[in-house]
Amino acid sequence: MTAVHSTPLSRNREGFVLPTVVFAVAIMSIVVVASVTTSQDERRASRAVRESTVAMYTAEAGLRQTYGNWPVNPVKALNPGDSLDLGWQTLPNNEKYRAVIHRVDGGGLQEYNVVVQGRRPGLNGGMSTVIGTVGGVPLFSRAVYGGQLVWIQNATFDSWDSGVGPYNALTPGQEADVFSNANCSASPTLPCGMTLQKTTIGGDAGATGPITLNNSPVVKGTITPNMPAETPYDQLACPTGGYSPVTPELAAVGYTGNGVLNLASGQTLNLISGKQYFFRSVTMAGTSKLQLPAGTQNVNFMVQDSIYMAGGSIANTGHKATDLSFTNCGTPTDPTKTNYWGITGGADAFFSVYAPTKVVYALGNSEFFGAVISNIFYITGSALFHYDEALARAPSPYLRVHKATWGQFPGN
């Protein structure tokens, strides 16, 4: 028998390398495209972050620019709920910002939201929005302020809030703080600091100088002498239009337009709601009266020189000290004779006094409802002084940026 040997057939591998190469090239192309796309995405993301960050800096610069160039008169004209659009402004590097001021209070102490958009130039420019808050600084945060001296003898101080309800002698508040801001070492020959004599203070007593306690006064809060000095109150400018002209209510009491208001005994001046009066001096004799008829609100007496109400009275029957104010302004026409304001109290004497350069006497032994800012303040006898806490919420001529109110809104 003859053995037959079989051999395996050879496999044909021609054309195998080409598909492998094509497949490898395709995979590598996908990897390259993915890498390039990722790189472009990262570049765009980095550019977006940069543009957004620079836009935020632009908005913040615009916010600070708005604070530094505050539009005083247009803002004063805003009513609660109104807005003031200052339009797009250009910074030195050609970036732009737009500020809009919104008044957000209810008509009392001012509160403003300042919303600023920052925008980068160019097609790829980013946009960001920041917000800050500006608020009024309460003028009458205390019952009495004296720039040099506060002298209280025999009087009783307490508080209430006319925005909550009428004054109730059975439930008096204890927020009637008194404060003297004198630097006694700078004027050692002048009366200085605070003297409390046989009196009751329903609140705190503080002074940057000494506090003298005579005849066992009662202070229901704290007594703090030698406190840090505060920034003194500013002397306000007088209206530019001159003294009040002769109007029907002023003509009825004999006013001639010369800035001198003299009310003779028995005369009553009925004040007009929302009006600002401006006089050189005010004198009230006998049974004369300043009267706010029912519904009268927001009356301001600006006086350049002196006020003397001995014998006169105030009839604010609405019993809200926020409705009537006496404000000192400008430079006295005769500094040697016009540093004195004598204010009369009574059952309807609801008002505030802003006279940071004047000597203010609370005349008589009756009641006073409101608050006083003065250079020197005297009250004696058995007078009762009731601080109206609502005055701390009254509109103020001073504004400040609230700390820690900066915030950023989401950008584009």
Side-chain angles (χ1 to χ4, degrees):
M1 296 181 63
T2 303
V4 178
H5 297 277
S6 61
T7 59
L9 298 176
S10 299
R11 295 180 181 179
N12 188 355
R13 294 179 177 269
E14 294 180 359
F16 175 77
V17 174
L18 181 60
T20 301
V21 171
V22 171
F23 180 75
V25 170
I27 294 298
M28 292 178 64
S29 298
I30 293 174
V31 172
V32 171
V33 170
S35 177
V36 171
T37 303
T38 301
S39 176
Q40 291 177 341
D41 289 343
E42 290 178 352
R43 183 175 60 83
R44 283 193 293 266
S46 176
R47 176 67 180 271
V49 170
R50 178 180 179 277
E51 292 293 333
S52 177
T53 300
V54 176
M56 187 270 289
Y57 291 149
T58 301
E60 185 175 8
L63 181 63
R64 295 179 181 276
Q65 189 89 343
T66 304
Y67 289 156
N69 297 277
W70 189 254
V72 177
N73 291 327
V75 169
K76 281 184 178 179
L78 294 178
N79 295 314
D82 288 350
S83 298
L84 175 65
D85 189 342
L86 300 179
W88 286 99
Q89 308 290 327
T90 302
L91 294 173
N93 57 358
N94 291 325
E95 294 168 354
K96 296 181 180 294
Y97 71 91
R98 175 192 179 197
V100 180
I101 301 173
H102 306 271
R103 184 168 179 181
V104 296
D105 61 272
L109 190 64
Q110 308 95 310
E111 289 290 335
Y112 304 98
N113 284 344
V114 185
V115 181
V116 181
Q117 292 176 298
R119 185 174 67 187
R120 288 273 291 157
L123 297 177
N124 296 321
M127 182 173 288
S128 185
T129 303
V130 299
I131 183 172
T133 304
V134 174
V137 181
L139 280 182
F140 299 100
S141 57
R142 304 181 178 95
V144 170
Y145 169 96
Q148 179 178 324
L149 174 68
V150 172
W151 182 289
I152 301 174
Q153 181 176 338
N154 298 328
T156 299
F157 280 68
D158 60 23
S159 68
W160 100 107
D161 191 330
S162 64
V164 176
Y167 174 76
N168 186 345
L170 299 178
T171 57
Q174 305 299 316
E175 301 298 328
D177 300 340
V178 294
F179 181 74
S180 170
N181 195 34
N183 182 358
C184 297
S185 60
S187 304
T189 61
L190 297 176
C192 184
M194 180 181 297
T195 296
L196 304 178
Q197 181 167 316
K198 199 178 179 180
T199 187
T200 299
I201 304 296
D204 299 332
T208 61
I211 297 179
T212 302
L213 305 176
N214 295 330
N215 296 328
S216 303
V218 176
V219 178
K220 297 185 178 180
T222 60
I223 301 176
T224 312
N226 303 315
M227 296 176 63
E230 296 185 0
T231 302
Y233 287 97
D234 292 332
Q235 179 75 344
L236 300 182
C238 290
T240 57
Y243 299 123
S244 290
V246 179
T247 51
E249 76 277 14
L250 294 174
V253 295
Y255 176 69
T256 63
N258 63 350
V260 178
L261 177 66
N262 289 322
L263 296 183
S265 181
Q267 286 186 321
T268 297
L269 173 57
N270 290 304
L271 305 175
I272 305 299
S273 188
K275 190 168 183 179
Q276 176 175 281
Y277 297 90
F278 174 35
F279 303 104
R280 179 162 62 89
S281 63
V282 175
T283 302
M284 299 173 61
T287 58
S288 62
K289 183 183 297 184
L290 288 176
Q291 179 168 279
L292 278 71
T296 304
Q297 298 177 337
N298 301 325
V299 177
N300 182 24
F301 260 65
M302 296 199 80
V303 181
Q304 189 171 6
D305 289 350
S306 61
I307 296 178
Y308 189 65
M309 293 184 179
S313 63
I314 295 173
N316 180 1
T317 55
H319 286 188
K320 291 187 176 181
T322 52
D323 286 336
L324 177 61
S325 60
F326 294 90
T327 305
N328 176 227
C329 69
T331 303
T333 59
D334 185 355
T336 64
K337 299 180 180 179
T338 56
N339 199 37
Y340 180 91
W341 281 25
I343 308 294
T344 301
D348 295 321
F350 290 73
F351 56 87
S352 64
V353 174
Y354 181 87
T357 64
K358 299 297 182 182
V359 178
V360 177
Y361 282 86
L363 302 173
N365 298 325
S366 53
E367 292 184 279
F368 298 83
F369 301 82
V372 172
I373 292 172
S374 63
N375 182 42
I376 296 177
F377 176 78
Y378 286 100
I379 187 170
T380 59
S382 57
L384 304 175
F385 195 109
H386 313 293
Y387 167 56
D388 188 353
E389 298 170 25
L391 285 168
R393 303 190 300 273
S396 170
Y398 304 112
L399 301 176
R400 68 182 172 196
V401 177
H402 288 324
K403 296 180 179 179
T405 59
W406 184 95
Q408 182 182 1
F409 288 161
N412 56 337

